[in-house]
Amino acid sequence: MVQTTKVLPVSEYLLFGVVLGVMVAIVYTIVEYVFDKFLSKALNLGLILIIKSFIYLIFLIFSLTIIAYLAEDYIGVDFPNHTGWWISNKIFWMVTAYFIICSLLFSFIRLANDKFGKGIIFKMLIGRYRNPREVEKIFMFLDMKSSTSHAEELGHLKYSMLIQDCFFYLNKIINKYDAEIYQYVGDEAVISWTPKKGIRHLNCIKLFFDFDRKLKRHSKYYMKKYGVQPEFKAGLHTGKIIIAEVGTVKKELAYHGDVINSTSRIQGKCNEFGESLLVSAELMEKLKLTSKYQAVSLGDELLDGKTEELKIFAIHRK
């Protein structure tokens, strides 16, 4: 008896492709979410990539076997779906290699975005910052309170672990508020926004209070592990800076401009006034605070190294 092949319309073949595509998208999203949310802190990058590759391999074996069984009923062709069929199947290994290479490529893009900020790697590739460019930015200098006493009490090793734990939660909310980490300096983080992104929805203000709320929410963890409750202070300012690529080894984007020094000195005034968040008048003029926040004028201050006074405001959350 001659087996006949059932010819299907193009829509049926597309259906199989759509089903496989949806399955791949769902599994990929779940795996990436679980690793990013729960395992990125506990596992090193190399181990994460190996585990992900193994999960994707198992998924492909399972999904392609199921699809082969289903396709047999429709097309009438004996697809390879017996136990171990995938071991010697060249098409399977081609699909697997393609899938894993794409996964590694996406992981590389994510790492590049984490390193330089969203979209920066592309701008560096096309040489946008090869020549210095002037742009306007909002800067936040975020520093741990009582850092010296914490370091003396905990010791340098445990204190460094504390900083890692704190910045782990900071990194979780960076994208939520359209911010970029410019650099880490000891226990200080320098965060930036474009004016549009920083002012929109009060992102530059909300990030600080959301970060503070996360630290307090995990107070039991910090007290149990370190015996201290970490708190941070911050200064916010805006102005024009110069961005340029610097170096050939360990190349990076460098920001130059007076606004950076001024933001650092504004943050340095937090201890003097006993405040957690200070904002320059120049930035306050652009912000439209909601009823959740209160701005308190601290008057004109002469910052260290400056000849002109700068008006500063303290921001409180009601």
Side-chain angles (χ1 to χ4, degrees), residues 46-70:
L47 185 57
I48 287 176
L49 292 177
I50 291 173
I51 295 174
K52 282 183 180 179
S53 298
F54 178 75
I55 291 174
Y56 294 144
L57 175 62
I58 298 300
F59 161 70
L60 286 173
I61 294 172
F62 174 78
S63 61
L64 291 177
T65 300
I66 294 299
I67 289 178
Y69 274 116
L70 295 175

Side-chain angles (χ1 to χ4, degrees), residues 10-213:
V10 175
S11 60
E12 294 288 349
Y13 291 102
L14 289 175
L15 179 61
F16 285 114
V18 170
V19 170
L20 180 60
V22 170
M23 290 174 63
V24 169
I26 291 174
V27 171
Y28 183 84
T29 301
I30 293 174
V31 170
E32 292 297 322
Y33 175 80
V34 170
F35 274 86
D36 183 60
K37 187 76 173 177
F38 304 106
L39 300 176
S40 61
K41 188 178 178 182
L43 302 176
N44 61 62
L45 178 60
L47 185 57
I48 287 176
L49 292 177
I50 291 173
I51 295 174
K52 282 183 180 179
S53 298
F54 178 75
I55 291 174
Y56 294 144
L57 175 62
I58 298 300
F59 161 70
L60 286 173
I61 294 172
F62 174 78
S63 61
L64 291 177
T65 300
I66 294 299
I67 289 178
Y69 274 116
L70 295 175
E72 280 186 336
D73 294 336
Y74 281 91
I75 305 177
V77 175
D78 184 20
F79 280 100
N81 51 35
H82 54 276
T83 302
W85 66 269
W86 50 274
I87 296 176
S88 59
N89 190 285
K90 293 181 179 179
I91 295 178
F92 168 79
W93 287 111
M94 289 176 61
V95 172
T96 301
Y98 172 79
F99 189 84
I100 292 178
I101 289 172
C102 288
S103 176
L104 292 174
L105 178 61
F106 292 144
S107 296
F108 169 78
I109 293 173
R110 289 188 61 185
L111 287 172
N113 283 333
D114 289 343
K115 170 65 178 176
F116 299 104
K118 280 187 176 181
I120 298 298
I121 187 65
F122 174 74
K123 293 176 182 178
M124 292 181 70
L125 287 173
I126 63 176
R128 182 169 183 180
Y129 299 116
R130 191 167 186 174
N131 296 317
R133 297 173 65 94
E134 185 180 63
V135 298
E136 190 168 350
K137 285 276 190 178
I138 295 173
F139 279 96
M140 171 186 284
F141 275 65
L142 186 69
D143 189 31
M144 180 177 284
K145 293 183 179 180
S146 306
S147 56
T148 302
S149 60
H150 288 337
E152 292 175 351
E153 179 182 348
L154 297 173
H156 295 300
L157 179 60
K158 202 164 186 179
Y159 179 68
S160 295
M161 294 171 63
L162 172 63
I163 296 299
Q164 281 185 323
D165 274 345
C166 291
F167 287 160
F168 175 80
Y169 292 112
L170 175 65
N171 292 333
K172 289 294 183 182
I173 62 173
I174 283 294
N175 291 333
K176 179 180 178 181
Y177 296 103
D178 289 329
E180 297 176 0
I181 298 288
Y182 168 46
Q183 63 182 9
Y184 298 101
V185 183
D187 53 17
E188 183 176 70
V190 183
I191 305 168
S192 70
W193 293 264
T194 62
K196 182 179 179 180
K197 291 181 178 180
I199 293 170
R200 184 174 59 199
H201 307 309
L202 298 176
N203 281 332
C204 62
I205 299 293
K206 289 181 178 179
L207 180 142
F208 176 80
F209 288 104
D210 193 5
F211 178 51
D212 181 65
R213 186 163 51 247

